[in-house]
Amino acid sequence: MSRKFLAGLLVLAGMTAVPMMAATYEVGTCVSGVPKANQFTTITDAINAAAPSSTIWICPGTYPEQLYISKPLTLHGRSQSNTDRPVVTVPLSNIGGEPGLLINVTSVVTGWEFAAQIVVKNVNPPGQVKIFGITVDGSGYSFGCSAQMAGIFYASGTSGIIGNNTLRYQQNGGCGYPIWVENGAAPVQTIFVNSNSVHDFGNTGITAASSQVPSFLTAYVRGNFVTGGTSPADILTLNTAGSIARNVVTGGTIGMEDTDLDQQAAGIVIEDNVVADVLTSPGVGIVAREGDTASSNQVSNVTTAFYLQGGSTASPGPSLQSNTVKNVHTAFEYDCTANATVKTNTVNDAAIAYDNVPSGTASDNSLYNVDTILSGGCAL
Amino acid sequence: MLRKTFWSLPTVLLALLVCPLHAATYGVGSCNAKLKSFSTIQAAVSTVPSGSIIQICPGTYYEQVTINQPLTLEAVTFNNSNRVTIALPPNTTLSPNVGSILGVPPGLVSQYLYAQVLVASVAPAGPVNITGITVDGTGGNRNCNGSDGLVGIFYSVNTTGTVNEVTTRNQQHCGYGYGIWGENTAGTTGDFTVENSSVENTDDNAIVTGSDQSPSTINASIKGNFINLPNTAAAFSVGVRGLVAGGTITNNVMTGGRSAVLIAPLAAQPQCCAMTISTNTMADIALGTTGAAIQMGLGSTATSNQIFNVYTGILTSSAATFRSNTMMNVTQGAGVAIGCEPGVVNGKNVFNDVAIGYDQPETPMTGDTLYNVDTIQLSPCS
């Protein structure tokens, strides 16, 4: 083969392959070594231009954009001089100049329409989408509950990581969901939601949901701080596998809830979380269902620390072990859940330790400063 | 035969004399017929031999309790309850029963406190341990004179002991209410441990520990507690206040109030002693006002704490070290306010969602991981 012919082949290969190769892009100018062709002023332009599996660095600044990600990518916030906060905000709409978002995704789990500030869906080729170190600010958008609002929405069939971000002001008149991840049919997807700061939202801070039994979504919700004010829930998992671990949640009407469809999904692990100051009615720290293992959580200053669900004589209810409960009205609300395991927990300062316990249930926990140890009952 | 009788008679006499003085288990209330029991806690602690265990039946005891000998107080479970509450006697004047070497409020000049449970002048030397009791200060907002305080449990100078799985609540006394307080002066260094307790709703510091000596003569261990204070602008609404105190503050969950931990010197001992503050979770502090989750004393160390939703995360002091802490949602003040203090050491902290990373660093700080920080270095001093 002649040298000239070989060179010609390489050029051809380069022409076809180079645009498809993962590369580094930036929005703004804060990263050295990024070619000018890969520099953009909007995140949307960078996403559209980037080859799959590329990294897009986002320089500090305010980006009034609604983002649609349909290829594997990494979005990464970046510092510049003395600041380190890239903020995605709600753009002004063409109509009336008010902050506006398009409805851009429908949940396969609930059927609800969402206007998501960042939506990840129809990812092709398949691969992970990772979002690190950016702020998603929902200020100004309030269309009530005609559609739901999300900060970051991972639609069915997507996977990846949402890490070290700030989600704030997804209010929308009580229908705001800062982080929502879901999956429908097979294959199983895995999504990590790690170390995010989530606050000032309308409904639920972090939601992970699967529409199928058994679950096709493995969600790891770890190390986040969610403060819910008087919003309904801080962290909600529906029919997922995976874990809720090492989070700190305060406020809201429910700190963290795991639930499922038709009481058929295997449980998840809920461990090493701190839940405090959940006092807005009903004021439940952790809702655990059949198959869940909740261990080494610290639940303090809530109305009800643990609310048990599911479970029957045939299938095990939740297992609650080595948790610490302080300053609550009710430590363990069985709600007549059968076949639950509640042992080696420590309770200090409760009006009621065990409420509505099925007869014959044995518990072995350390109780201190409990006004009424056993209350209520279950007619079987 | 005669010889045997001769020897046995003194033995019986000796037994009669000595047995009542042996440490044993006694009761308060009528839930355990097998124990020699008293109707009040004070009668029990005044009467039983040193080192005894006093098991208290569930119920509310409207008493002020003073303990002058080593003892263990604990609650028993009876009739579906194990809540033993020591409450303020109604319709009585709350006259102070103890002075503090630290001052009331701590660090100031007034000295006197009404202690609901007072551990003082303990003889013979030995620990006083309190487990599973509730001390409730409801109704304490009376007889205020603007200087004296109300405290749930007070360990006075030269006493030691452990407060475990206790609940103190509602010690409010016109801004001078305290949950649990231990202090020491010159002499042998004493251990003061508060663990696994729930300390709630005081209108001043929840837990106070300190010494008027430098080096400190108190070795405090404040661990595994839940501390919740009202959201208030009151300057001294502090979870744990250490004044010239040595020891550790670990694994606590602290919410509300103006500050979670404040380590400070006394005017007489400006070279304040260092404490270690680690693996605590602090959230929802100084809302609607200014304040810092941790105010570090000279040479103190803060490691692996989680600090969320506060005005300022850490206010450092000279030669203080803060490492491996996580701070999120510090959206008004600074993650760390250095105030140009020299010798501050940092590293491996993670900030996310912080308005100001470092306020007045002596020199710009590096070595931490920052996400979503509006201003990284504000007003570096050099």
Side-chain angles (χ1 to χ4, degrees):
Chain A
M1 194 181 292
S2 75
R3 187 168 286 188
K4 195 171 178 182
F5 181 66
L6 182 64
L9 273 182
L10 285 173
V11 168
L12 274 175
M15 285 175 69
T16 53
V18 164
M20 297 304 293
M21 282 178 66
T24 300
Y25 299 78
E26 69 174 326
V27 182
T29 50
C30 60
V31 184
S32 61
V34 176
K36 269 211 171 324
N38 290 4
Q39 293 176 340
F40 297 90
T41 56
T42 70
I43 304 171
T44 298
D45 286 347
I47 291 171
N48 289 340
S53 302
S54 294
T55 295
I56 300 173
W57 293 100
I58 305 173
C59 303
T62 299
Y63 301 92
E65 302 181 52
Q66 189 173 8
L67 305 181
Y68 174 43
I69 302 173
S70 58
K71 60 183 106 171
L73 284 177
T74 297
L75 265 56
H76 214 307
R78 179 87 181 199
S79 65
Q80 183 171 28
S81 62
N82 198 31
T83 181
D84 187 11
R85 171 100 76 177
V87 187
V88 174
T89 59
V90 179
L92 300 181
S93 70
N94 294 330
I95 307 162
E98 296 292 322
L101 295 169
L102 300 173
I103 292 170
N104 53 3
V105 62
T106 300
S107 169
V108 298
V109 179
T110 64
W112 299 344
E113 291 184 318
F114 275 82
Q117 294 183 263
I118 300 176
V119 65
V120 177
K121 70 173 185 179
N122 302 329
V123 172
N124 186 32
Q128 292 196 335
V129 174
K130 303 173 184 176
I131 301 175
F132 295 115
I134 65 170
T135 294
V136 184
D137 187 326
S139 298
Y141 181 84
S142 185
F143 282 80
C145 296
S146 56
Q148 317 299 313
M149 177 197 204
I152 299 175
F153 192 113
Y154 274 52
S156 182
T158 64
S159 65
I161 306 173
I162 302 169
N164 301 105
N165 302 290
T166 295
L167 285 295
R168 63 187 188 195
Y169 307 120
Q170 281 78 27
Q171 296 278 9
N172 193 31
C175 291
Y177 297 83
I179 296 176
W180 181 295
V181 300
E182 66 173 35
N183 194 25
V188 172
Q189 302 293 343
T190 300
I191 300 179
F192 297 84
V193 181
N194 296 337
S195 305
N196 299 286
S197 175
V198 182
H199 56 92
D200 295 287
F201 51 86
N203 196 294
T204 301
I206 298 171
T207 306
S210 169
S211 62
Q212 303 286 313
V213 176
S215 176
F216 288 115
L217 177 61
T218 302
Y220 296 102
V221 181
R222 298 169 171 167
N224 302 284
F225 174 58
V226 184
T227 184
T230 57
S231 299
D234 295 315
I235 297 174
L236 174 69
T237 51
L238 170 65
N239 212 38
T240 60
S243 64
I244 303 175
R246 302 191 304 277
N247 302 283
V248 176
V249 305
T250 65
T253 69
I254 296 174
M256 41 191 69
E257 174 171 4
D258 182 45
T259 186
D260 64 351
L261 301 168
D262 304 325
Q263 299 188 3
Q264 292 180 48
I268 66 166
V269 171
I270 304 169
E271 64 183 7
D272 297 320
N273 299 287
V274 173
V275 181
D277 304 344
V278 182
L279 296 169
T280 304
S281 180
V284 180
I286 295 176
V287 180
R289 63 175 167 90
E290 74 284 352
D292 282 348
T293 299
S295 61
S296 303
N297 300 287
Q298 300 183 69
V299 185
S300 309
N301 195 30
V302 303
T303 307
T304 298
F306 287 92
Y307 200 108
L308 286 65
Q309 289 192 323
S312 65
T313 49
S315 70
S319 172
L320 314 181
Q321 299 188 38
S322 304
N323 300 287
T324 303
V325 175
K326 292 193 177 83
N327 190 18
V328 302
H329 181 271
T330 302
F332 302 103
E333 172 54 71
Y334 275 72
D335 193 24
C336 300
T337 295
N339 206 2
T341 301
V342 180
K343 65 181 184 182
T344 64
N345 303 287
T346 302
V347 178
N348 178 2
D349 193 15
I352 297 168
Y354 311 110
D355 205 2
N356 299 313
V357 182
S359 61
T361 301
S363 301
D364 184 12
N365 304 288
S366 298
L367 307 181
Y368 301 93
N369 299 298
V370 174
D371 293 294
T372 301
I373 294 173
L374 188 60
S375 175
C378 296
L380 295 177
Chain B
M1 189 70 188
L2 184 65
R3 188 182 181 91
K4 196 172 182 181
T5 305
F6 177 77
W7 281 110
S8 62
L9 192 60
T11 308
V12 170
L13 280 173
L14 192 65
L16 280 171
L17 286 171
V18 172
C19 272
L21 296 175
H22 279 171
T25 302
Y26 295 85
V28 176
S30 55
C31 67
N32 193 337
K34 292 179 183 170
L35 295 179
K36 176 174 172 50
S37 292
F38 300 83
S39 60
T40 67
I41 300 169
Q42 184 62 58
V45 301
S46 301
T47 309
V48 303
S50 295
S52 292
I53 296 169
I54 298 175
Q55 296 189 332
I56 309 171
C57 297
T60 301
Y61 298 84
Y62 296 96
E63 306 183 46
Q64 189 175 24
V65 178
T66 301
I67 302 172
N68 300 128
Q69 56 177 340
L71 287 174
T72 295
L73 288 189
E74 58 190 37
V76 294
T77 299
F78 178 71
N79 198 16
N80 202 29
S81 178
N82 67 3
R83 174 86 78 179
V84 171
T85 303
I86 296 174
L88 290 170
N91 307 317
T92 58
T93 301
L94 301 182
S95 300
N97 59 344
V98 65
S100 169
I101 56 167
L102 303 179
V104 180
L108 296 184
V109 292
S110 174
Q111 297 177 0
Y112 298 103
L113 290 150
Y114 177 99
Q116 295 185 259
V117 177
L118 171 61
V119 179
S121 306
V122 171
V128 174
N129 299 323
I130 303 174
T131 300
I133 306 289
T134 297
V135 183
D136 193 329
T138 298
N141 257 329
R142 63 180 197 253
N143 310 128
C144 300
N145 61 8
S147 60
D148 299 337
L150 166 68
V151 59
I153 299 174
F154 188 91
Y155 279 66
S156 188
V157 296
N158 300 314
T159 66
T160 63
T162 297
V163 176
N164 180 32
E165 297 285 7
V166 157
T167 294
T168 65
R169 58 190 184 192
N170 307 325
Q171 277 75 26
Q172 302 216 351
H173 189 65
C174 307
Y176 297 86
Y178 309 88
I180 301 171
W181 184 318
E183 61 180 38
N184 203 12
T185 186
T188 307
T189 296
D191 290 336
F192 174 59
T193 299
V194 181
E195 58 189 6
N196 308 317
S197 292
S198 186
V199 184
E200 308 150 17
N201 202 29
T202 60
D203 63 359
D204 205 338
N205 309 166
I207 297 173
V208 180
T209 181
S211 163
D212 65 354
Q213 303 293 306
S214 184
S216 174
T217 54
I218 194 160
N219 179 32
S221 176
I222 313 294
K223 59 186 177 188
N225 304 288
F226 172 64
I227 299 170
N228 177 247
L229 294 172
N231 288 321
T232 171
F236 295 109
S237 180
V238 174
V240 177
R241 186 119 192 247
L243 286 153
V244 200
T248 59
I249 300 169
T250 57
N251 294 317
N252 302 284
V253 176
M254 304 153 135
T255 64
R258 186 89 181 263
S259 191
V261 173
L262 167 56
I263 311 299
L266 287 168
Q269 299 291 357
Q271 295 303 305
C272 165
C273 307
M275 295 192 80
T276 297
I277 306 144
S278 63
T279 54
N280 302 284
T281 301
M282 305 163 176
D284 302 343
I285 291 163
L287 302 182
T289 182
T290 57
I294 302 175
Q295 299 186 51
M296 303 182 72
L298 177 71
S300 286
T301 300
T303 56
S304 304
N305 299 286
Q306 301 188 87
I307 301 170
F308 302 128
N309 197 22
V310 302
Y311 189 92
T312 290
I314 297 174
L315 182 61
T316 68
S317 187
S318 294
T321 298
F322 63 99
R323 295 179 68 86
S324 304
N325 302 285
T326 301
M327 275 172 263
M328 288 197 226
N329 194 0
V330 185
T331 56
Q332 296 183 77
V336 183
I338 293 113
C340 304
E341 294 279 0
V344 175
V345 178
N346 71 312
K348 296 186 177 176
N349 302 285
V350 178
F351 298 50
N352 178 8
D353 195 11
V354 174
I356 299 163
Y358 311 97
D359 190 8
Q360 292 190 301
E362 187 190 25
T363 57
M365 304 198 88
T366 58
D368 300 323
T369 303
L370 310 185
Y371 303 95
N372 299 299
V373 176
D374 293 295
T375 303
I376 297 173
Q377 317 274 351
L378 183 68
S379 308
C381 305
S382 60

